[in-house]
Amino acid sequence: MSIAVRRVTKRFGDFVALDDVSVAVAGGSLTALLGPSGSGKSTLLRVIAGLEHPDEGDVLILGEKATGLPPQERGVGFVFQHYAAFSHMTVGQNVGFGLKIRKRPKQEIRARVEELLDLVQLHGLADRYPQQLSGGQRQRMALARALAVDPKVLLLDEPFGALDARVRKELRGWLRRLHDDVHVTTVLVTHDQEEAMDVADRIVLMNEGGIEQTGKPRDLYEHPATEFVMSFVGPVNRLDNGFVRPHDLAVQLEPDSAAREATVERIVHLGFEVRVEMALDGTKVSSQVTREEAERLELRPGQQVYVQASNARSFA
């Protein structure tokens, strides 16, 4: 394993940010730490980086104990949400800064910077300043700077959180392609479930300082271990004592013994699919149907319909 976190606990006063957390990250993988605000994901990343010291437990990087090492001796590249660029330096100088303080030869720095700017699609922008770049370009510059020193692991703390939705979606696709090219072990912190499922090989879902479930994105969606996982990863309806995904809630016009009556409240067209929002026994539920199905049913607000759930899940 490239990264092994073993029974780490971290407290801030009376608040327990991490409670006996253990995580293993495979070499060359892209792992997402996912969870709501306050779940401990950024604290865990900072413990791996050496920016926070655990009260208990250990961190190993490439099999070597790193718990007592300062950040600069751990071989990690760190990218924050807010770029942290040197505004008085050019893009090229920002990218090459880590190599310069390591006193690498100027020719080597120049070649490495040019290579990385090509890699992150910033070719020809070495002489610009960060304020002359777009938000997406600045974040690509930050990633190039982190990669310049050939880190053992790359740690990304909500790197796209400050960007608008369109740019964020473009960048996460770019990040996945970049990772497939460089194969550096990467840990990404995000609170965006779609982002985690789009780019990560594995997801570590955190809640209240602990780990709810670890697995491939599809495993967490299709085989949630807890009620929290079911409700956090993907949309879900709460029906009686169970949970049903919107695509598992069928809508029909005629009653039968297995269906329940509901009232259509709103119809939302989302391109290739339609979300039907309904009231069912005082509960708000939604169904995901195709455009063709919505047209066949001729759904409209106020209409009485009948819904039938499949693949309902309940948790002890």
Side-chain angles (χ1 to χ4, degrees):
M1 291 294 168
S2 274
I3 304 171
V5 176
R6 295 180 178 173
R7 307 200 66 174
V8 162
T9 294
K10 177 63 180 177
R11 303 178 185 88
F12 296 99
D14 294 332
F15 176 68
V16 181
L18 297 173
D19 187 8
D20 196 24
V21 169
S22 295
V23 175
V25 178
S29 67
L30 198 166
T31 298
L33 303 181
L34 174 66
S37 297
S39 61
K41 55 191 186 296
S42 287
T43 301
L44 178 56
L45 196 76
R46 291 174 66 83
V47 166
I48 295 170
L51 300 173
E52 298 286 355
H53 189 79
D55 297 307
E56 301 169 23
D58 286 309
V59 174
L60 284 76
I61 297 177
L62 297 184
E64 297 182 1
K65 188 173 179 179
T67 312
L69 294 178
Q72 62 271 23
E73 295 181 18
R74 296 193 179 201
V76 300
F78 205 108
V79 178
F80 298 90
Q81 179 176 341
H82 296 289
Y83 326 120
F86 298 111
S87 60
H88 65 286
M89 294 183 182
T90 65
V91 170
Q93 290 169 337
N94 266 280
V95 172
F97 179 75
L99 295 172
K100 182 179 179 180
I101 64 174
R102 286 166 173 79
K103 303 187 185 303
R104 305 306 301 168
K106 289 184 179 180
Q107 186 174 354
E108 178 187 327
I109 294 175
R110 191 180 303 112
R112 180 65 171 155
V113 168
E114 185 176 335
E115 175 191 359
L116 285 167
L117 291 181
D118 282 344
L119 183 67
V120 302
Q121 300 171 5
L122 293 178
H123 178 74
L125 302 183
D127 294 329
R128 292 194 184 182
Y129 286 87
Q131 56 268 32
Q132 295 176 303
L133 303 181
S134 68
Q137 288 173 327
R138 286 197 294 269
Q139 199 55 284
R140 296 207 301 272
M141 179 195 71
L143 280 160
R145 185 176 59 189
L147 290 169
V149 295
D150 290 320
K152 299 174 185 176
V153 297
L154 181 62
L155 308 178
L156 312 177
D157 192 2
E158 304 235 27
F160 311 137
L163 304 173
D164 65 59
R166 181 185 62 81
V167 175
R168 194 162 62 239
K169 187 172 183 178
E170 289 175 357
L171 276 183
R172 69 184 188 225
W174 170 83
L175 175 64
R176 183 67 240 189
R177 293 190 297 273
L178 175 68
H179 178 267
D180 291 341
D181 286 339
V182 298
H183 296 292
V184 63
T185 304
T186 303
V187 181
L188 164 73
V189 163
T190 181
H191 64 272
D192 185 332
Q193 55 177 284
E194 183 178 339
E195 185 169 279
M197 297 185 76
D198 192 8
V199 304
D201 302 312
R202 294 179 68 79
I203 294 175
V204 177
L205 181 56
M206 301 187 66
N207 183 36
E208 296 183 343
I211 295 175
E212 292 277 341
Q213 188 173 351
T214 300
K216 296 179 180 178
R218 184 174 179 180
D219 291 338
L220 269 66
Y221 185 84
E222 296 184 356
H223 307 289
T226 67
E227 180 178 315
F228 176 82
V229 179
M230 181 83 185
S231 60
F232 193 84
V233 180
V236 70
N237 296 302
R238 181 73 181 258
L239 282 179
D240 302 324
N241 295 320
F243 296 84
V244 180
R245 300 288 188 196
H247 56 76
D248 288 326
L249 192 64
V251 179
Q252 58 195 56
L253 300 179
E254 300 297 329
D256 63 39
S257 59
R260 299 167 65 176
E261 186 175 341
T263 302
V264 176
E265 293 191 332
R266 186 167 177 251
I267 300 169
V268 184
H269 292 266
L270 302 169
F272 64 90
E273 66 182 28
V274 176
R275 185 173 71 239
V276 184
E277 299 177 356
M278 298 166 285
L280 172 63
D281 296 335
T283 301
K284 304 293 185 181
V285 298
S286 65
S287 174
Q288 177 183 314
V289 301
T290 64
R291 287 181 300 177
E292 292 75 13
E293 189 175 3
E295 291 171 1
R296 178 181 61 81
L297 294 170
E298 298 182 339
L299 298 172
R300 62 187 185 279
Q303 182 179 6
Q304 299 300 305
V305 295
Y306 300 88
V307 297
Q308 186 169 342
S310 60
N311 296 324
R313 297 176 183 270
S314 58
F315 301 90

